[in-house]
Structures are given as structure tokens and as C-alpha cells.
Amino acid sequence: MEFVRTSLKESISIEKLISFHYFEYAKGYEFDGEQHDFWEFLYVDKGEVDVQADDRSLKLRQGNMIFHKPDEFHTVRVNQEHKPPNLIVISFECLSPAMDYFHNKVIALKDRERNLLSSILQEGFQTFYPPFDNPAIHHLERNPNAPFASEQVIKSFLEILLINLIRDNEDNAGRQTTTKLSSAQKEKAEQQAVQQIIDYMKQHMSSSLSLDEICRAFHLGKSRLKDMFQSQLGSGVVEYFKHLKVEEAKTLIREQKYNVTEISAILGYGSIHYFSREFKKMTGMSPSEYAKTAKARIHS
């Protein structure tokens, strides 16, 4: 019997990773701009940002991703009127002709793509050493204790992300789509339920939500609620609520409207000492230290 070996085609292949950044910018930040011979995308994880790409001036909101093609000059500016943004910026070398699709593209990511991007981010944090928030650093230092095959995982996830974005465009153009399986429908329903709970948490940032209160609000058992959060976010429910509070605290600090004591009260912490302890546990620095770094980024 003859066995035929079929070479697998690669429509998108990322050759090299150049930079991996996660920025938390303060109001008034301006990036002078740059131009390079490789691809880069910027994703707005939170807030809003103004982007200049060659002769295009764009306002990007949470959930938007812009692609900068090779040799495109681009800058970033944080408007004083907007909430300070959190941005994911990744640059890479890819010579595949299919990348032409991303010329001048601004895309609103769907849940599937956002989850992929989140996986890339978490893998990158384990694969390379910080800092991840310095726009002047374009050298990736490998972490010798990174998980097995972590760099290959980043490459694969990036390629799948790009493939999914192109496929979504084909689906929107009216091409035939694959019939969704019931398991996929259940997964989507669970994602929507978790998102509704997260929205509920965001609406109650000033309170101390308990597991019981969330269960009553959404008519869920504790075990089911915990399983959903672990499955979708890899986090406990209460831990995720604490994470949201600290993220909101970081945004309020960068807005520079309130002092640390006021922010502690706005977010419903029992005392400023408890707030400072929780903040430092999650960020590695105290609220006042974080405020100093935010101001330093503006001046730099």
C-alpha cells in the first residue's frame, strides 16, 4: 500500500515577533510616531485613543483594532477628554500575500478574536521578561522558565487570529458558513451569560458584591457560577470582581480627577489601607507609586 504525504499549505505564516506591548496610558500622552518595514496592530482593550496612520486620522474605541502596514507612519495620542486607554500593541514580520487584506483596516473584534488575543497576551507575559509598557523597547528578552513551546503557541495563536479575521470578512460578504454545532451554541450562550455578569459587576463597582448576591441576581447556583467563570476567564468570581475594581482604580488614577482616598471611597473599599493592600497585591506597587509612574509617562 502506498501512503501519499500531503504537504500542508500555509496561507498566513508569521516569521518573526518584533515587539510585544501592553500600555496603560495617562491623559495627555502623545507618542511622537514611528515607521518600520514590518506589520503592527494596535488593539484598544479599554478607553479611547486617537491614531494617525499616514494621512488618516482615526478615533478608536474599546474593542477596535487597527493594522499598520509596513512603511506606514503612525502616531498615538490620548485626548484629555477621554478615558485613559489600555492598549495591546504587537509587531511582527509576515511576508504572506494574504496580509494584503489588512491594508488600512480597522476592525471591531468579536468574542472569539478577543479570547484569542487574551490568550496571546497571557502567553506573552509568561514567555518574555517585562517591561511591556515601554514604547522605546523593541527587544524581547526570553524567560528561560517559560512554559513548554510557549513561543510556538504565540505564533500559532497570532496566525489563527489573522485567519479568523479574514474568514469573518468572507462570511460577511455572503459566502457559505459552516453549520454551528449545538456545543458551539452552548459555548456562546455561556460567554454571553458571563459577559452579562461582568457588566453587572461594573455597574456595582462602588459596592462589595458577594457570591450570593450575584447568584440571586442571575438565578444561578454557586457551583455553576464558579464553573462558568473558571471555564471562560480562568478566574474565580470574587477574584475577577477585585480585578475589575483595581483596573477601574488605575483608570481613575490616570484621569487625575480624584486623590487616592477619594478613589478608595468611590470604589467602595472599607478603608484606604485595604484599598492600598489590594492594589499592591495585583499591580506590585501602591496607588501613589502607580500615580507617579503615570505622570512620568506623560513627561517622557
Side-chain angles (χ1 to χ4, degrees), residues 129-294:
Y129 280 130
F132 300 108
D133 60 351
N134 188 336
I137 294 179
H138 297 285
H139 171 70
L140 295 173
E141 185 179 353
R142 289 183 169 100
N143 179 359
N145 298 314
F148 172 73
S150 57
E151 292 183 26
Q152 186 173 349
V153 169
I154 293 172
K155 168 182 166 65
S156 299
F157 279 160
L158 277 171
E159 291 171 351
I160 294 169
L161 172 64
L162 299 175
I163 290 167
N164 280 351
L165 291 173
I166 293 174
R167 282 187 174 186
D168 281 346
N169 175 67
E170 292 178 347
D171 291 345
N172 293 336
R175 299 193 180 186
Q176 187 175 1
T177 58
T178 306
T179 303
K180 294 181 180 178
L181 302 176
S182 59
S183 60
Q185 291 173 332
K186 289 177 183 176
E187 176 74 11
K188 186 174 182 181
E190 188 172 279
Q191 288 175 353
Q192 291 173 341
V194 169
Q195 187 56 54
Q196 287 174 355
I197 295 168
I198 291 172
D199 292 340
Y200 180 80
M201 288 176 170
K202 290 178 179 178
Q203 292 164 11
H204 293 78
M205 287 284 215
S206 60
S207 64
S208 300
L209 277 180
S210 68
L211 209 57
D212 288 330
E213 288 174 297
I214 297 171
C215 287
R216 283 196 298 271
F218 290 89
H219 308 290
L220 289 168
K222 284 185 182 179
S223 297
R224 177 62 180 149
L225 179 61
K226 290 177 180 178
D227 289 344
M228 286 168 57
F229 264 68
Q230 198 60 49
S231 169
Q232 296 296 322
L233 303 171
S235 169
V237 184
V238 175
E239 288 75 14
Y240 193 81
F241 186 49
K242 289 180 179 178
H243 162 77
L244 286 179
K245 283 199 171 198
V246 169
E247 285 300 309
E248 182 63 16
K250 287 160 73 176
T251 299
L252 291 172
I253 288 170
R254 300 201 314 272
E255 283 183 339
Q256 302 177 42
K257 288 182 180 178
Y258 309 99
N259 61 37
V260 174
T261 303
E262 290 169 330
I263 291 171
S264 173
I266 289 169
L267 295 176
Y269 286 94
S271 72
I272 189 170
H273 302 293
Y274 177 60
F275 167 57
S276 298
R277 189 166 66 248
E278 288 292 301
F279 191 95
K280 188 164 187 176
K281 187 191 298 181
M282 293 195 185
T283 66
M285 60 182 81
S286 69
S288 56
E289 288 170 338
Y290 182 81
K292 287 177 184 176
T293 62

Side-chain angles (χ1 to χ4, degrees), residues 21 23 25 29 31 34 39-52 58-68 72 74-77 85-92 105-109 117:
H21 292 301
F23 298 117
Y25 284 141
Y29 175 82
F31 177 57
E34 62 184 10
W39 282 92
E40 178 177 290
F41 67 69
L42 178 152
Y43 174 75
V44 184
D45 196 31
K46 191 176 182 180
E48 296 182 1
V49 69
D50 294 326
V51 173
Q52 186 78 25
L58 304 155
K59 188 179 299 297
L60 303 185
R61 294 178 172 83
Q62 182 175 354
N64 290 158
M65 175 181 281
I66 184 171
F67 282 83
H68 297 302
E72 177 179 271
H74 51 278
T75 65
V76 170
R77 184 171 67 87
N86 292 11
L87 307 176
I88 299 170
V89 179
I90 298 177
S91 58
F92 54 92
K105 276 286 190 297
V106 176
I107 301 172
L109 266 59
L117 192 55

